[in-house]
Amino acid sequence: MADLVEEFLTGQPAVADTERVLAALLVTRIYDTAKLGDRMWNERSQRFQETWRLLVGRHGGRVAGTHGELMISRFDGPARAIRCAAALRDAAQQIGVASAQGVHVGEIEMRGAPVGLTARVTMQLATHAGRGDILASRLVAELAIGSGLHFVDAGRISLDELGEPLSVVQATSEQHLEPACRPKSRPAEPAALTARESEVVNLIADGMSNAAIAAELKLSEHTVKRHVANILLKLDLPSRAAAAAFSARHAGPDGP
């Protein structure tokens, strides 16, 4: 009404003063993999939505509404969004449903449900995510440096909203990198490691911290953390101590 009055008095259309902010969006979806009956599925779905609202609030986020089967929440930073996604994944498993989630960062309007490119991209990420996955744009990983979260490259995917493929990552917290979370397999041979990863594992065996390794190899500490996480994943090891022991076992006369 105020815009109409302003246009009538001035003869010029009112200028829309839209407030936009940079935010992290988390889109969560759940689905039935056990072929539950309608009644049981509705009960579990309702229970999860209640849990979703609770966990979003606990992680400093705000429930931004739903879009069909998709539940949308917003956060002031990507680390909070990822940690909430991890909590929601665990909650879904406890309730007995499967979850898939997408996280992206971009500008959205402060008021109302998120709309526009950022929201549409995040929804498509959640749609592309597999069971138990937290699929995020690489921008999320770049903005979460130093948060203690671990990101594994997931390639590039084509989205309807973008002119070129989007680089994406799988997100998980480092403390979840336990053998139970990874497929059971025999440890890889040392050749599975890159030359840089071999350098890192040797320095781990020497008792050096991530910060010391970063200084020695002239890398950022975040890059060293990524190398350590990749080493543990490739060798199916639970900890740095196990990586050090692995290096010692496979050392030859001139070193590993």
Side-chain angles (χ1 to χ4, degrees):
M1 289 297 295
D3 290 344
L4 293 175
V5 171
E6 181 179 341
E7 183 175 356
F8 175 77
L9 294 175
T10 65
Q12 298 293 330
V15 177
D17 183 20
T18 303
E19 295 184 69
R20 297 179 66 82
V21 295
L22 186 66
L25 289 187
L26 166 62
V27 173
T28 304
R29 68 183 176 96
I30 59 169
Y31 50 96
D32 179 12
T33 59
K35 306 303 180 185
L36 303 173
D38 289 344
R39 180 178 178 180
M40 184 172 292
W41 166 248
N42 288 336
E43 289 177 353
R44 294 190 181 184
S45 177
Q46 183 176 357
R47 181 181 170 191
F48 181 83
Q49 288 205 28
E50 293 171 353
T51 303
W52 166 64
R53 294 177 184 277
L54 178 64
L55 289 177
V56 167
R58 284 183 178 176
H59 286 82
R62 179 180 301 176
V63 168
T66 59
H67 184 83
E69 64 177 3
L70 304 177
M71 289 161 273
I72 309 169
S73 50
R74 51 174 285 196
F75 300 80
D76 60 8
R80 288 186 177 184
I82 294 294
R83 291 192 175 97
C84 183
L88 288 169
R89 177 180 55 195
D90 294 342
Q93 292 175 346
Q94 293 175 3
I95 292 172
V97 295
S99 68
Q101 303 180 82
V103 184
H104 186 45
V105 174
E107 277 197 345
I108 62 170
E109 294 184 11
M110 288 187 65
R111 297 180 177 85
V115 295
L117 182 62
T118 300
R120 294 194 296 272
V121 168
T122 314
M123 290 178 190
Q124 289 197 50
L125 287 175
T127 301
H128 277 78
R131 178 178 180 178
D133 288 346
I134 303 171
L135 191 64
S137 61
R138 182 164 294 278
L139 178 60
V140 169
E142 293 172 351
L143 293 175
I145 290 176
S147 64
L149 297 170
H150 175 65
F151 299 90
V152 178
D153 181 67
R156 296 162 68 87
I157 60 174
S158 297
L159 301 179
D160 297 338
E161 307 296 335
L162 302 177
E164 59 183 22
L166 178 69
S167 295
V168 295
V169 295
Q170 293 280 2
T172 182
S173 55
E174 287 190 33
Q175 58 266 33
H176 289 164
L177 290 176
E178 297 295 336
C181 300
R182 303 192 299 273
K184 299 291 184 181
S185 61
R186 295 181 61 186
E189 293 300 320
L193 301 180
T194 65
R196 178 64 79 186
E197 289 166 350
S198 295
E199 288 182 301
V200 171
V201 78
N202 291 344
L203 295 176
I204 291 174
D206 290 340
M208 296 178 67
S209 66
N210 286 350
I213 294 172
E216 175 72 18
L217 300 180
K218 295 181 173 56
L219 302 172
S220 70
E221 190 169 349
H222 173 73
T223 299
V224 172
K225 286 182 178 179
R226 189 175 72 248
H227 283 314
V228 172
N230 286 339
I231 290 167
L232 298 183
L233 283 171
K234 285 183 177 182
L235 303 181
D236 194 24
L237 298 173
S239 65
R240 287 168 56 92
F246 175 92
S247 178
R249 288 197 306 271
H250 291 82
D254 299 320

